[in-house]
Amino acid sequence: MREEVQTNPHDLDEETLFVVSQTFKALGDPTRIRILNLLCCKEYSVNDIAEELNLGQSTVSHQLRFLKNLRLVKFRREGTTLYYSSADDHIMNLLHQAIDHAKH
């Protein structure tokens, strides 16, 4: 049985509110959802993401910068190429639950 965490509505400080709202903002954009969903299984370069999702490289770079600032994606450098991957399993679980819910 899963234990539910009880939160007091008065326990939400401004920083927590901001982080939660930014997370939902990130998940509220179809392009970012597509990128996060792609990155759930393996890492991709910006060019690979752009090709796989049929998006412009500048669009992908812009969205990755947003996701990186929220620490939802991480990257590693290999030569001059950056490879991006998911950085937050909690958010990926939330995303996949939302996708599963939408499909029902």
Side-chain angles (χ1 to χ4, degrees):
M1 186 186 316
R2 190 175 145 197
E3 181 180 320
E4 295 206 20
V5 177
Q6 297 293 323
T7 59
N8 183 335
H10 303 291
D11 288 345
L12 290 175
D13 58 63
E14 291 301 315
E15 182 180 349
T16 301
L17 285 170
F18 179 75
V19 171
V20 170
S21 69
Q22 290 300 298
T23 300
F24 278 106
K25 181 178 177 181
L27 296 176
D29 179 87
T31 301
R32 289 191 287 265
I33 291 171
R34 293 176 68 209
I35 291 170
L36 285 170
N37 191 52
L38 183 66
L39 295 177
C40 77
C41 300
K42 69 176 198 173
E43 64 181 13
Y44 289 86
S45 69
V46 173
N47 289 335
D48 292 340
I49 295 168
E51 185 176 313
E52 188 77 24
L53 299 179
N54 197 27
L55 296 169
Q57 184 177 353
S58 63
T59 298
V60 171
S61 293
H62 174 76
Q63 298 300 344
L64 286 170
R65 187 170 31 259
F66 183 89
L67 295 169
K68 187 177 68 150
N69 287 340
L70 290 174
R71 292 180 268 168
L72 300 180
V73 298
K74 59 186 176 186
F75 69 92
R76 70 173 180 86
R77 183 180 302 273
E78 189 173 295
T80 59
T81 305
L82 297 176
Y83 290 91
Y84 288 86
S85 61
S86 169
D88 191 322
D89 291 339
H90 294 105
I91 297 303
M92 296 310 290
N93 289 334
L94 181 63
L95 174 63
H96 289 126
Q97 286 179 359
I99 291 169
D100 289 344
H101 179 72
K103 289 182 175 182
H104 281 74

